[in-house]
Structure formats: C-alpha cells, structure tokens
Amino acid sequence: RFLEMLWITRLSAFFSAAMAVIVLYPSLQSFPPAAAIRSSDRSLVSSFRNSPPFRNAAEECLSSSAADSNVCNPSLVHVAITLDVTYLRGSIAAVNSILQHSLCPESVFFHFIVSSEKTNLESLVRSTFQELKFNVYYFAPETVRGLISSSVRQALEQPLNYARNYLAELLEGCVNRVIYLDSDLVVVDDIAKLWKTGLGSRLIGAPEYCHANFTKYFTGGFWAEERFSGTFRGRRRACYFNTGVMVIDLKRWRRGGYTRRIEKWMEIQRTERIYELGSLPPFLLVFAGHVAPISLRWNQHGLGGDNVRGSCRDLHPGPVSLLHWSGSGKPWLRLDSKRPCPLDALWTPYDLYLHSH
C-alpha cells in the first residue's frame, strides 16, 4: 500500500496532490496551541483517537518472553523519542507508523523523553496505545540551557532537542543499545531491520551523505583555526550524517564519556562561534568519520524543506524505509493550513489526531 501511495504521489502535480489531501481531509483544523493543551489534562488525553492493538505477526517473534514488559528484557527493541506539545502530533504518528510496520510490535519498547514534570503526556500515550511498552524520562532543561547558543532556527535551540546527548544517562543501565528517532518522521518498514544493524567497532550508526558539502556546517573561523579544524585530521572519511536517525551503542557511550565530549564542543561554541546549526555540529565534531554507515533508505531526510522557508522537496532516488520531514516545514502544520506539499500525503495515514476535537 505504501509503495502504491508513493508512486501516485511522486507522479502527481503539486496542485493535484494538494487538492486530493484537502478533499480527503475536509475537517482538518489547526493543532491546539501549547497553552490550550497545557490548560486541560483531559483535553490533552482526548486529543488523539485510540490506536488499535498490535500483535506479533511473525513466527520468529518471541511469544512468552516478548510479553515481558521489563525494560531489561534482552529480547526487546529499544526506541527513544522525545515528547513535547509542539511536536506531539508528530511523535504519536511516528510511534503509530513503527507499530503498523513491525512484524513483532509487542517486542518494541519505547523510551519517551520529556522536559516538563508537570505534564500529562504519559497518560496520553497510555490511552492512545493501550498495550504499549514504554517508560517516560524527565530531562531537565537546566542541563543544557547554559550550553545552548543561538541557531538559524529557534526550534533548534529548545533544550529537548539536546536530550539525545544524554540517553546513556537517562535510560536504564541495562539498556545497552537504542534507536534514536526524531519526532517528524514515519517508519514504513520493520524497525527490527534497523535494530539489527551491525556497528562493528563504531559507537553509532547512521545514514551518511558523503556528497554533501561538509565544510558548510562550520564557520570560516572554525576552518581558519588549526586547533579547531585539526580535529578532523586523520579521519579518512568525515561525512555529514543526520542525527534524527541513529543506532547508538549506549554501553560504549557510557564507557567513553561521550556526553562530556559533546558538551566540551558546546562550551567552545558559546565563546568562539564555530557553527550555526543547533545540536548537529557537536555530533559531527565527535563522530564524523567514525560512523557505521546505514543504508540511506533509513533516512529519506529533508522533506520539511530548508531551515527557513520549508519549501517542498521530492524524495531522494532509491528505496524508502523511513520518511523524515527534517527542516522547518512539518506535515501536520502544512496540512492544517491547507497548503500541503505532495509528500505530506504519505504522513497522513499515521496521524491519530482527532480533527474535530
């Protein structure tokens, strides 16, 4: 079904696709503002319709042990996603997409990171996905507030955007590997395939883009200073990678103190201004050239357009396992404003928001 939708969408003109979405979804309304949602826990919980229960469908799924909801169960697939009001609709769609395409959905354990202790997001998740295995973790904004510098887009400055740096500390010590996913994506393949990615001697795995202009992620001052640019010396292949989709070896991360390594670059940024783009450059500084490459099908990124205008984009050539609306344009906002991009129609089947709410 997904391939059929993709074929139709890519051949359709923008106007035709936009009209089709409007016809199919005549009652689309704007997502409630953050203040309105926070004002009523009941309103928050009832903002999304219930997902149907998902059951293991493959013979190779572990029947009895998979039912064990203990986070330390070694048979589980671990996925970490942030939850906040602004991207909540995207996070719920991402979870729904993972469950829909997983052969063993009962074996997936979700780790939700929140930055507010006064929230009812846990109740929302539990009511929307009634048999989901998950834990919720509080990430204190004060942890990084003094380390964050201004970026090209305000959304990139939010403390929760940096929670991925602290997964090794936030998650239980028995969780030795995790898939980190952004909130503006949907998975259209079995997440277990990504989970089984071999990292070899590497700490993280991610799709790499070696034809991208790697130098543009840092300022001229960075490249002019040997004490900064020299960090890439000896790295045979320092390529750009998107931190919205990563497989992370948490055991090695903890052993090597990588959270502190990232923080050191953020401290330098505060005084030297060596990059412009949020939480990505510190990851490049620490890991670029030391990443286990994952198939590009697992991050068809950039669908949200550039970081300012959010212009419409087409898919990159090749197969697709994950669609990622990185950039400033988000599918739920464009759909609600009746100005969708053609590919936004591929996000709508996973949207559980109650449009009449």
Side-chain angles (χ1 to χ4, degrees):
R1 187 179 71 176
F2 167 72
L3 292 177
E4 181 181 350
M5 288 182 62
L6 178 59
W7 181 81
I8 293 173
T9 304
R10 296 194 68 180
L11 290 181
S12 298
F14 174 81
F15 178 77
S16 300
M19 289 302 295
V21 171
I22 292 173
V23 170
L24 288 171
Y25 299 92
S27 61
L28 288 176
Q29 300 176 1
S30 297
F31 190 51
I37 289 182
R38 290 194 185 97
S39 67
S40 171
D41 285 350
R42 181 175 299 177
S43 173
L44 173 63
V45 171
S46 60
S47 294
F48 295 85
R49 67 179 183 273
N50 292 344
S51 167
F54 292 94
R55 302 300 183 200
N56 290 344
E59 292 182 1
E60 59 267 26
C61 296
L62 300 175
S63 55
S64 59
S65 61
D68 181 5
S69 60
N70 187 335
V71 68
C72 295
N73 181 351
S75 302
L76 297 173
V77 172
H78 295 276
V79 178
I81 300 178
T82 59
L83 282 183
D84 74 339
V85 172
T86 304
Y87 285 86
L88 182 59
R89 192 165 159 189
S91 298
I92 295 298
V95 173
N96 190 29
S97 72
I98 292 170
L99 296 174
Q100 283 198 34
H101 292 279
S102 177
L103 289 176
C104 305
E106 295 176 78
S107 299
V108 183
F109 194 103
F110 289 89
H111 304 264
F112 296 116
I113 318 300
V114 302
S115 59
S116 173
E117 292 180 300
K118 298 178 180 179
T119 178
N120 207 28
L121 294 179
E122 180 174 351
S123 297
L124 183 147
V125 172
R126 201 170 299 282
S127 65
T128 304
F129 304 101
Q130 296 182 14
E131 298 183 26
L132 195 71
K133 294 180 177 66
F134 73 94
N135 282 340
V136 175
Y137 310 79
Y138 172 63
F139 175 67
E142 295 75 22
T143 306
V144 291
R145 191 159 277 150
L147 294 171
I148 298 175
S149 54
S150 61
S151 182
V152 295
R153 186 157 57 93
Q154 189 174 5
L156 301 177
E157 301 173 22
Q158 300 306 308
L160 198 57
N161 201 42
Y162 294 81
R164 72 195 85 189
N165 303 356
Y166 298 87
L167 292 176
E169 288 83 7
L170 289 169
L171 273 54
E172 290 82 356
C174 62
V175 180
N176 292 325
R177 169 184 280 224
V178 69
I179 297 172
Y180 174 81
L181 298 177
D182 274 351
S183 299
D184 52 359
L185 55 78
V186 292
V187 176
V188 293
D189 202 345
D190 188 356
I191 195 71
K193 296 177 183 177
L194 181 59
W195 175 255
K196 294 174 183 176
T197 297
L199 300 182
S201 61
R202 305 304 190 188
L203 188 79
I204 68 171
E208 290 186 299
Y209 307 89
C210 295
H211 297 295
N213 182 3
F214 187 80
T215 61
K216 73 178 183 179
Y217 295 100
F218 303 94
T219 64
F222 172 88
W223 294 111
E225 289 271 359
E226 172 65 20
R227 62 191 173 115
F228 299 144
S229 60
T231 190
F232 291 115
R233 189 187 302 110
R235 301 197 199 184
R236 182 177 59 84
R237 192 174 63 114
C239 302
Y240 162 78
F241 64 94
N242 182 283
T243 53
V245 179
M246 296 185 291
V247 180
I248 306 174
D249 185 328
L250 296 177
K251 188 174 183 178
R252 289 180 181 173
W253 184 294
R254 296 178 183 113
R255 192 165 56 227
Y258 281 87
T259 295
R260 183 56 191 150
R261 298 190 192 193
I262 291 174
E263 286 180 334
K264 286 180 179 178
W265 281 113
M266 293 176 68
E267 290 168 357
I268 292 173
Q269 163 72 357
R270 292 282 292 177
T271 57
E272 304 287 347
R273 196 67 185 181
I274 57 176
Y275 54 80
E276 304 289 348
L277 193 64
S279 62
L280 169 64
F283 261 84
L284 295 178
L285 285 161
V286 174
F287 294 111
H290 301 302
V291 174
I294 293 175
S295 171
L296 298 181
R297 70 185 301 152
W298 284 102
N299 197 352
Q300 283 270 352
H301 72 292
L303 304 185
D306 59 42
N307 275 305
V308 179
R309 296 183 300 276
S311 53
C312 293
R313 297 279 180 86
D314 198 0
L315 290 177
H316 308 290
V320 180
S321 292
L322 185 150
L323 296 158
H324 188 185
W325 278 262
S326 56
S328 63
K330 303 306 174 189
W332 56 92
L333 296 178
R334 294 194 295 215
L335 286 163
D336 286 357
S337 65
K338 305 295 193 293
R339 300 173 62 184
C341 288
L343 290 178
D344 293 345
L346 299 178
W347 181 86
T348 56
Y350 308 103
D351 185 17
L352 293 176
Y353 178 62
L354 288 169
H355 302 292
S356 60
H357 182 76

